Amino acid sequence: MSDRASDAVQRSAQGRIGILTVNNPPVNALAAAVRDGIKAGVEAFGGDPNIDAIVLIGGGRTFIAGADIREFGKPPQGANLNDVIAAMENCPKIVVAALHGTPLGGGLETALGAHYRVALPTTRVGLPEVHLGLLPGAGGTQRLPRLTGAKYALDAILSGRHIPAPEAKSKGIVDALVEGDLLAGAVAHAQMLVVQKAPRRRVRDLAVTLESPDLFKDTEKAIARRARGFKAPWNIIKCVQAACELSFDEGIKRERELFVELVTSQESAAQRYYFFAEREAAKVLDVPSDTPQREIRSAGIVGAGTMGGGIAMNFANAGIPVTLLEVKQEALERGLKTIRTNYENTAKRGGMKAEDVDKRMALIKPTLSYDDLKEADVIIEAVFETMEVKEGVFKKLDEIARPGAVLATNTSGLDVNQIANYTKRPGDVIGMHFFSPANVMKLLENVRGKATQKDVIATVMSLSKKIGKIPVLVGVCEGFVGNRMLRQRGVQSAYMLEEGALPQQVDKVIYDFGFPMGPFAMSDLAGNDVGWRIRQGKKEKEQRNVRYTGYIADAICELGRFGQKTGAGYYKYDLPDRTPIPDPEVEKIIEDTSKKLGITRRAISDQEILERCLYPMVNEGAKILAEGMAQRSLDIDVIWVNGYGWPVYRGGPMWWADNVVGLKTVHDALLKYRDASGDPFWEPAPLLRKLVQDGKKFSTV
Ligand code: T1G
């Protein structure tokens, strides 16, 4: 056995119990050395006359948390995992898996190869491969149904959820819960099995209970909407069906075929990229991970509106007491009522215990006085989106907040540097751009100002995770990263309506690409009057050198068509049903506008729509990257997948351009549209031009 294998899996013994300890930090991923080490260890102890049984346990913070995701797509090395598991299952000695932390994916599959499993009560097991565009490819789809029944197994594998140990025990996945010292408990359990002459119980020999013959058909129907565009869920259903219809070995063979289909797919490559991108985005290149952080034991929120209320809920959900400030009593009561209603609805849906509603509300202290924010460790402003209002709030916070408090603004695009300079402590000011609904949306765009100190950045990036968010750090520019790129799509969507497309055509292309909805249905949801008021305020129409984007949008708003809230916008709605219905009245408005603008309408292909919506976003992403407004291209991808509905199985706009479309194709198409329209809007970003010249990708920047 190679040294690497012996380092990765240490052998020891307690009495006549052989112990194999996996040691591959940080999460004992099943790298080749680990697989080789387990196989060699099981075979060695299996043939050792001094050993009666074997315990497999993980060193460090968790049992094996899965295959090493970094190995996928690379030439296979070392023992195949199915062979490792077969070696365990066929070992002449009883094998007990001792589970702590998060035995996931190949880790749980390995444990299912053992004859018995014991776990700490805090352990969470699962088969989350679906989140990587994969399926459990080492027997999980064949062994789990044999322990739990087909229905439970199918749900567990399709959801990829982490199952708490007590539930796993109730479902037969785990045989016993061990309190305190896991190794001691596992060794005692193994010794007990030896004394009882317990059988070497192979999961593969168990029969699968199929609760209903319609399970697979019903499941396909049930997941159709949320699994749209994904490949893995459908292959998972086929695997569990195989477990019910074929022998174990035939089922394993079928699982392998369906796994290989996925592991070689672009979708899984995108989702595996995204797994690491999300973790990398939490790291700030010039702020070392050991940068001391400011302690956050309490929070304050200024403004109890939709955003302020949602933000307060995040802190209460994380057990952090939060003071919620409003200027008027009725606004405060309205805000509190909305928060309680949100919690009660979550409890009704089973998303939390009913008794926790009051516990969370108890952590939210309402106030009308800034003085009650004096002790807060972080204060987040979520008031009306004008600089005048922000100025007033930050000047007040500068007066009352304790020294060292982190002062944050939830602005979605105003100049954070200017806001910071309203205080005498700009180093303590940072942007925390939550997305609506703030208690639901995972993305948190943290905005570093020129003066923002590194310990404030470190504090806010880790606080973001504590309150259940996915943090990405960006720079100060108009619309930050997400909205700035979204605007490019909005510009071309508006122009294409004038030139020949219809809202339903553009939206269908974007929906079919994988977004939850297209730009016009989204505008109807958000309210068309929001943009209308801004355009009127900005007098955009008068700007000489920029082609105006609001002719059609203004025309429908002047008719009071603000969207879902008025029952009509770019579509009409049979409220309360919010399904968008194409409206001939809108088509007439559009055709009349084209006529007024002297534009002869033409047929616009779906491909042109896709290119004109997405390529300008990629081009803007290149500018953002070159300006340093995003640290890496992966940050932009994490923002779009988590904040703007970019389908994760397409990686994100920058990964998609790098790996699916190709930067040269994007670049050349931009030039094509520039030459056709004469519009400098299409000028390729210098960074994009350079990368194409050098044959490089955004991911290298
Ligand atoms: N492979 C490689 N690296 C991994 C890894 C893995 N499976 N899991 C985590 N890491 C790295 C991660 O990138 C980070 O690195 C560090 O470990 C800590 O992770 C055949 C096909 C276990 C719940 O999907 O869900 O088995 O950033 O920051 O928040 O059927 O990591 O420090 O350099 O996330 O405490 C199935 C994936 C694989 C589980 C811990 N397994 N991991 O969460 O820490 S496919 C999974 C997680 C498979 C078989 C198939 C979480 C965690 P760095 P972290 P955490």
Side-chain angles (χ1 to χ4, degrees):
M1 175 168 79
S2 71
D3 295 350
R4 270 182 337 110
S6 56
D7 293 347
V9 180
Q10 276 122 28
R11 288 182 215 172
S12 59
Q14 285 189 14
R16 298 183 57 78
I17 306 299
I19 299 163
L20 296 173
T21 306
V22 179
N23 175 29
N24 184 26
V27 295
N28 286 327
L30 274 160
V34 173
R35 298 194 302 273
D36 293 345
I38 294 174
K39 189 162 183 290
V42 166
E43 286 162 356
F45 281 144
D48 184 337
N50 303 315
I51 296 292
D52 293 338
I54 303 167
V55 167
L56 175 64
I57 191 165
R61 67 185 196 175
T62 181
F63 186 77
I64 302 163
D68 188 334
I69 302 168
R70 294 179 198 284
E71 285 190 352
F72 292 126
K74 298 193 180 115
Q77 295 186 350
N80 170 288
L81 185 52
N82 273 321
D83 298 342
V84 175
I85 295 171
M88 291 169 62
E89 210 165 37
N90 303 328
C91 178
K93 314 285 171 67
I94 282 179
V95 180
V96 175
L99 311 178
H100 75 298
T102 49
L104 300 171
L108 180 57
E109 290 175 297
T110 304
L112 296 180
H115 304 118
Y116 298 89
R117 286 154 292 283
V118 300
L120 292 176
T122 51
T123 305
R124 300 168 69 81
V125 303
L127 296 173
E129 284 86 344
V130 69
H131 300 313
L132 299 165
L134 296 170
L135 55 82
T141 69
Q142 305 304 303
R143 290 192 175 85
L144 191 66
R146 283 171 162 76
L147 286 172
T148 67
K151 188 168 184 317
Y152 182 92
L154 192 52
D155 172 66
I157 303 172
L158 283 171
S159 65
R161 71 186 174 89
H162 296 185
I163 302 163
E167 179 186 336
K169 173 144 183 350
S170 71
K171 288 291 172 186
I173 303 171
V174 164
D175 301 295
L177 297 184
V178 171
E179 296 287 350
D181 180 337
L182 176 63
L183 181 58
V187 169
H189 194 84
Q191 285 162 339
M192 174 196 77
L193 292 167
V194 171
V195 171
Q196 293 171 350
K197 297 197 176 359
R200 289 173 313 110
R201 201 187 48 174
R202 303 190 314 168
V203 177
R204 62 167 290 154
D205 300 332
L206 302 173
V208 182
T209 308
L210 174 58
E211 296 82 358
S212 140
D214 305 324
L215 173 65
F216 305 110
K217 227 172 8 16
D218 295 350
T219 304
E220 283 175 356
K221 265 200 234 108
I223 68 164
R225 206 176 137 81
R226 75 168 195 268
R228 183 176 69 91
F230 291 91
K231 276 199 164 80
W234 312 102
N235 282 23
I236 288 169
I237 295 174
K238 292 180 188 148
C239 283
V240 178
Q241 189 162 10
C244 298
E245 296 167 358
L246 306 176
S247 71
F248 179 82
D249 291 323
E250 288 164 339
I252 282 282
K253 194 161 158 292
R254 184 80 183 112
E255 178 192 87
R256 174 67 19 196
E257 289 159 6
L258 293 163
F259 176 81
V260 170
E261 233 179 66
L262 296 179
V263 79
T264 53
S265 72
Q266 203 167 59
E267 286 76 9
S268 179
Q271 289 179 258
R272 295 191 314 258
Y273 155 77
Y274 187 76
F275 172 86
F276 290 114
E278 200 174 274
R279 283 154 181 78
E280 220 43 44
K283 299 169 188 164
V284 181
L285 297 172
D286 65 337
V287 178
S289 56
D290 60 359
T291 300
Q293 297 179 15
R294 302 186 186 182
E295 205 179 355
I296 305 293
R297 291 151 305 189
S298 64
I301 312 289
V302 181
T306 314
M307 292 307 289
I311 297 169
M313 290 174 74
N314 293 315
F315 284 89
N317 298 348
I320 301 173
V322 54
T323 303
L324 186 58
L325 172 87
E326 251 302 346
V327 280
K328 293 205 179 72
Q329 186 60 34
E330 65 271 16
L332 192 54
E333 281 162 13
R334 199 172 39 243
L336 288 171
K337 189 161 172 291
T338 306
I339 294 173
R340 177 173 285 281
T341 309
N342 283 341
Y343 277 135
E344 283 164 353
N345 290 343
T346 308
K348 278 195 209 110
R349 284 197 308 273
M352 65 189 283
K353 296 199 203 93
E355 63 268 24
D356 286 345
V357 173
D358 287 335
K359 286 196 191 125
R360 304 278 168 88
M361 291 305 293
L363 284 167
I364 301 174
K365 179 175 162 236
T367 183
L368 296 173
S369 164
Y370 269 94
D371 287 349
D372 289 336
L373 299 180
K374 273 200 173 101
E375 296 316 315
D377 298 323
V378 58
I379 304 172
I380 304 175
E381 157 278 314
V383 297
F384 200 62
E385 190 72 343
T386 66
M387 207 41 115
E388 296 68 42
V389 178
K390 307 283 186 197
E391 179 177 3
V393 170
F394 273 82
K395 284 193 168 148
K396 187 68 185 167
L397 290 180
D398 198 23
E399 274 170 39
I400 58 100
R402 70 166 181 73
V406 172
L407 304 180
T409 169
N410 178 52
T411 179
S412 60
L414 294 177
D415 185 340
V416 173
N417 291 320
Q418 190 177 343
I419 292 173
N421 291 333
Y422 290 136
T423 74
K424 291 184 263 335
R425 48 175 122 178
D428 298 340
V429 178
I430 190 167
M432 292 179 77
H433 177 208
F434 289 80
F435 288 74
S436 183
N439 56 310
V440 177
M441 293 295 284
K442 281 273 186 197
L443 179 67
L444 185 40
E445 215 179 17
N446 292 323
V447 187
R448 81 185 287 173
K450 284 203 190 77
T452 307
Q453 291 177 31
K454 292 190 176 178
D455 68 333
V456 169
I457 294 170
T459 302
V460 163
M461 290 300 275
S462 85
L463 174 64
S464 306
K465 289 173 113 176
K466 271 201 208 94
I467 61 173
K469 301 301 179 188
I470 294 167
V472 180
L473 189 71
V474 301
V476 178
C477 58
E478 205 179 331
F480 307 139
V481 170
N483 290 344
R484 180 174 162 180
M485 291 169 69
L486 184 67
R487 194 176 313 126
Q488 311 313 312
R489 187 181 81 180
V491 167
Q492 287 304 317
S493 303
Y495 291 167
M496 286 190 280
L497 283 198
E498 294 170 1
E499 295 166 23
L502 291 173
Q504 54 270 32
Q505 185 195 6
V506 175
D507 281 357
K508 183 171 181 317
V509 169
I510 298 300
Y511 178 79
D512 290 352
F513 182 82
F515 282 92
M517 64 177 68
F520 297 106
M522 193 163 95
S523 183
D524 275 359
L525 175 67
N528 301 318
D529 52 327
V530 182
W532 187 43
R533 295 187 207 298
I534 294 172
R535 285 191 302 278
Q536 288 178 314
K538 277 195 180 162
K539 305 226 171 321
E540 264 185 38
K541 215 177 218 171
E542 278 84 42
Q543 286 176 7
R544 285 284 134 256
N545 56 2
V546 182
R547 179 178 162 190
Y548 186 52
T549 59
Y551 290 113
I552 292 171
D554 291 352
I556 63 169
C557 284
E558 277 139 25
L559 295 170
R561 300 177 68 105
F562 297 155
Q564 288 189 8
K565 59 186 170 188
T566 56
Y570 286 100
Y571 298 92
K572 59 183 177 190
Y573 300 85
D574 280 346
L575 297 176
D577 180 359
R578 292 179 177 271
T579 311
I581 305 163
D583 189 342
E585 214 187 295
V586 170
E587 281 180 44
K588 176 135 186 6
I589 293 168
I590 292 173
E591 281 152 9
D592 292 351
T593 307
S594 302
K595 221 174 270 130
K596 269 196 220 117
L597 295 172
I599 297 174
T600 309
R601 298 180 63 74
R602 62 181 176 87
I604 297 185
S605 71
D606 289 356
Q607 181 58 25
E608 178 175 348
I609 289 173
L610 189 76
E611 292 179 0
R612 287 179 63 177
C613 281
L614 304 186
Y615 290 1
M617 286 172 40
V618 170
N619 198 36
E620 195 67 21
K623 295 175 186 170
I624 288 169
L625 213 44
E627 294 163 19
M629 290 302 140
Q631 298 183 82
R632 301 148 292 218
S633 59
L634 64 86
D635 295 87
I636 296 174
D637 289 336
V638 171
I639 285 171
W640 269 84
V641 169
N642 263 293
Y644 295 82
W646 183 283
V648 68
Y649 53 81
R650 296 188 194 274
M654 309 310 273
W655 185 89
W656 176 72
D658 267 351
N659 299 288
V660 180
V661 183
L663 296 191
K664 181 155 182 2
T665 304
V666 174
H667 173 270
D668 296 353
L670 293 171
L671 290 181
K672 177 186 76 184
Y673 289 117
R674 182 200 66 187
D675 299 344
S677 66
D679 187 344
F681 170 95
W682 290 106
E683 195 57 44
L687 174 66
L688 177 59
R689 206 184 274 280
K690 177 99 177 53
L691 290 171
V692 169
Q693 274 158 12
D694 303 347
K696 289 193 174 155
K697 293 184 172 184
F698 287 131
S699 56
T700 64
V701 176

